[in-house]
């Protein structure tokens, strides 16, 4: 990180890792407008915290996920408390992935996103990081929980997902 030009360093790092902001904002928002507002709030909080970022302690992406998820989870709680929160629905599929539309939406992908949308904010963050191929140590560091807790929660989420997918396939086969 350049001490002489922190704004340039921040802009460069933010640009390089911008998909993190869009993924988190897309997963925790209900509409394109909410996603844009949340992405802006995440970016603002990243800038406010940038002077405390220490590259010796964490990769930038790890630090960025931690800030982005904390902001998103706080916002999701405010929306829920204001009775504005709704589960992830089909229209959210367009926003997850950095604002790039998903070309094909098969039934299993739609069911996966519906399942993720039903999770509480912490478990939603956990599964997002797992699906991003983050290792348990990095997930634990980002979320501030133990690796054992990460492994246990992921196992429970996967088990619950399997059950829901089997139930959905059974229902579809009967129809």
């Amino acid at each position: 990180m350049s001490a002489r030009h922190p704004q340039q360093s921040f802009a460069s790092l933010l640009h390089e890792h911008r998909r993190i902001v869009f993924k988190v904002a897309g997963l925790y928002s209900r509409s394109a407008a909410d996603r844009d507002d949340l992405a802006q709030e995440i970016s603002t909080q990243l800038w406010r915290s940038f002077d405390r970022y220490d590259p010796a302690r964490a990769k930038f992406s790890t630090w960025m996920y931690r800030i982005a998820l904390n902001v998103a989870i706080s916002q999701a709680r405010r929306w829920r408390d204001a009775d504005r929160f709704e589960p992830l629905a089909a229209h959210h599929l367009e926003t997850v992935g950095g604002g790039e539309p998903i070309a094909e939406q098969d039934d299993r992908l739609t069911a996966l996103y519906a399942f993720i949308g039903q999770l509480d904010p912490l478990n939603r963050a956990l599964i997002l990081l797992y699906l991003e191929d983050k290792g348990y140590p990095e997930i634990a560091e980002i979320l501030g929980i133990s690796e054992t807790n990460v492994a246990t929660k992921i196992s429970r989420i996967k088990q619950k997902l399997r059950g829901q997918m089997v139930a959905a396939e059974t229902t579809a086969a009967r129809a």
Side-chain angles (χ1 to χ4, degrees), residues 143-172:
L143 297 178
I145 60 178
S146 71
E147 286 183 51
T148 303
N149 201 353
V150 168
T152 301
K153 286 180 174 292
I154 287 175
S155 177
R156 288 179 184 158
I157 291 169
K158 287 166 62 174
Q159 184 176 23
K160 186 175 177 182
L161 173 61
R162 273 188 220 104
Q164 287 189 354
M165 295 299 275
V166 167
E169 288 174 356
T170 302
T171 302

Side-chain angles (χ1 to χ4, degrees), residues 56-136:
R57 293 187 61 209
K59 295 187 306 186
F60 184 77
S61 61
T62 299
W63 176 82
M64 188 177 197
Y65 264 119
R66 187 180 310 130
I67 301 287
L69 287 167
N70 282 334
V71 171
I73 289 169
S74 294
Q75 184 63 46
R77 287 181 181 139
R78 282 192 295 274
W79 285 336
R80 183 191 62 221
D81 292 344
D83 200 28
R84 287 186 47 199
F85 187 81
E86 69 181 48
L88 195 65
H91 68 277
H92 293 103
L93 294 176
E94 294 177 13
T95 63
V96 176
E100 300 167 7
I102 296 173
E104 293 184 20
Q105 299 174 12
D106 67 25
D107 292 338
R108 293 176 61 86
L109 183 61
T110 301
L112 174 64
Y113 279 105
F115 170 76
I116 292 171
Q118 294 170 2
L119 296 173
D120 65 78
L122 176 62
N123 284 330
R124 196 178 314 169
L126 187 68
I127 202 68
L128 168 71
L129 294 168
Y130 177 76
L131 292 173
E132 286 286 311
D133 291 325
K134 301 295 180 191
Y136 289 4

Side-chain angles (χ1 to χ4, degrees), residues 27-44:
L27 192 60
Y28 282 87
S29 58
R30 338 177 311 152
S31 68
D34 285 347
R35 181 199 64 218
D36 293 345
D37 289 346
L38 184 53
Q40 181 66 40
E41 181 62 24
I42 290 168
S43 298
T44 300

Side-chain angles (χ1 to χ4, degrees), residues 1 49-60 62-63 66 141:
M1 179 167 52
S49 303
F50 188 62
D51 63 336
R52 293 187 300 271
Y53 168 62
D54 181 0
R57 293 187 61 209
K59 295 187 306 186
F60 184 77
T62 299
W63 176 82
R66 187 180 310 130
E141 182 180 351

Side-chain angles (χ1 to χ4, degrees), residues 1-6 9:
M1 179 167 52
S2 169
R4 291 183 348 161
H5 303 290
S9 295

